[in-house]
């Protein structure tokens, strides 16, 4: 893959997921530890950035009292409301220090649901930059990562899902998504294999 035509999308690396005291951290910490996904995500972001890959951050946030969500939410959005997670301006909604945006990174604004394409200008950004290859990392494996993966696949991007840079609520859900669903709509790769597939000579050009 040509780094100049490749983007790395980092979904919801926010304190509410990644940090002790985060509203959703206890729910995902076991799977995070299982694959050391935060350290792997740091490593892949740093090296991909160095090679000229476009780095995009896609945090989610809601106004106080969650007016963007239906009055009687269900499913994953109900869990967000109940735990008071991802409130705009709160510590929990902030991108964690380990994955802080660096100079040249792009923060995608407007994410309010599961699919990163649905309520943002992500597709516009990717096409304006001539991106053909989209690698995805973050939370939750079987929710926002998978929803975004499917949308990217439908839009004609060459999609890579970074199997050791994602986490969800249980090992069973993690395994089912990676083994059964990821291969249908993406190229599932560990972060090292993704980096090995970049073209270093062209990245330096």
């Amino acid at each position: 893959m040509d780094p100049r035509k490749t983007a790395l999308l980092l979904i919801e690396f926010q304190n509410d997921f990644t940090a002790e005291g985060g509203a959703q951290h206890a729910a995902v910490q076991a799977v995070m530890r299982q694959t050391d996904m935060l350290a792997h995500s740091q490593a892949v972001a740093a090296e991909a950035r160095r090679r000229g890959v476009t780095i995009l951050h896609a945090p989610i946030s809601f106004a106080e009292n969650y007016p963007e969500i239906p009055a009687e939410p269900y499913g994953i959005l109900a869990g967000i409301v109940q735990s008071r997670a991802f409130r705009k301006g709160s510590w929990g909604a902030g991108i964690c220090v380990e994955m802080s945006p660096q100079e040249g990174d792009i923060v995608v604004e407007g994410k309010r649901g599961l699919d990163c394409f649905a309520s943002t200008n992500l597709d516009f950004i990717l096409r304006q930059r001539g991106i053909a290859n989209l690698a995805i990392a973050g939370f939750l494996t079987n929710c926002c990562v998978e929803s975004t993966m499917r949308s990217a696949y439908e839009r004609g991007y060459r999609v890579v899902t970074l199997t050791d840079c994602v986490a969800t609520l249980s090992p069973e859900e993690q395994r089912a998504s990676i083994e059964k669903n990821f291969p249908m709509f993406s190229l599932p790769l560990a972060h090292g294999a993704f980096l090995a597939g970049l073209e270093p000579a062209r990245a330096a050009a």
Side-chain angles (χ1 to χ4, degrees):
M1 287 176 282
D2 182 349
R4 296 172 298 181
K5 297 181 180 180
T6 302
L8 172 60
L9 179 63
L10 304 167
I11 301 175
E12 296 177 14
F13 281 90
Q14 293 162 266
N15 291 318
D16 271 336
F17 272 140
T18 63
E20 290 291 339
Q24 296 288 324
H25 181 64
V28 299
Q29 63 179 334
V31 176
M32 287 182 67
R33 290 172 181 165
Q34 184 182 54
T35 60
D36 203 13
M37 66 84 73
L38 188 55
H40 291 155
S41 299
Q42 279 186 275
V44 75
E47 181 60 16
R49 186 182 291 115
R50 188 186 72 80
R51 297 197 195 183
V53 170
T54 296
I55 309 297
L56 301 124
H57 304 261
I60 192 170
S61 66
F62 301 94
E64 192 71 28
N65 299 320
Y66 302 93
E68 306 93 338
I69 293 177
E72 298 182 3
Y74 60 94
I76 190 69
L77 293 178
I80 289 174
V81 174
Q82 290 165 8
S83 66
R84 302 282 292 158
F86 306 115
R87 287 173 291 123
K88 186 176 182 180
S90 70
W91 168 82
I95 296 174
C96 66
V97 64
E98 296 90 341
M99 301 298 289
S100 294
Q102 304 297 306
E103 184 177 356
D105 291 3
I106 298 169
V107 178
V108 178
E109 299 178 355
K111 188 175 187 296
R112 300 290 183 269
L114 313 184
D115 175 8
C116 288
F117 288 93
S119 58
T120 75
N121 61 347
L122 175 59
D123 192 57
F124 176 82
I125 293 170
L126 296 175
R127 297 194 187 282
Q128 287 295 305
R129 297 180 68 88
I131 300 299
N133 314 303
L134 182 65
I136 305 174
F139 301 88
L140 295 167
T141 309
N142 57 336
C143 187
C144 293
V145 171
E146 190 167 312
S147 294
T148 303
M149 168 194 71
R150 290 170 182 254
S151 282
Y153 183 84
E154 294 277 16
R155 286 171 167 79
Y157 294 100
R158 187 169 189 251
V159 186
V160 172
T161 39
L162 299 178
T163 56
D164 57 353
C165 298
V166 294
T168 189
L169 305 178
S170 72
E172 294 78 14
E173 291 168 279
Q174 178 88 346
R175 183 170 54 253
S177 194
I178 288 174
E179 292 181 2
K180 302 298 183 181
N181 295 338
F182 278 17
M184 294 182 69
F185 307 101
S186 74
L187 302 168
L189 296 175
H191 78 283
F194 163 68
L195 292 173
L198 295 175
E199 299 174 354
R202 296 188 70 178

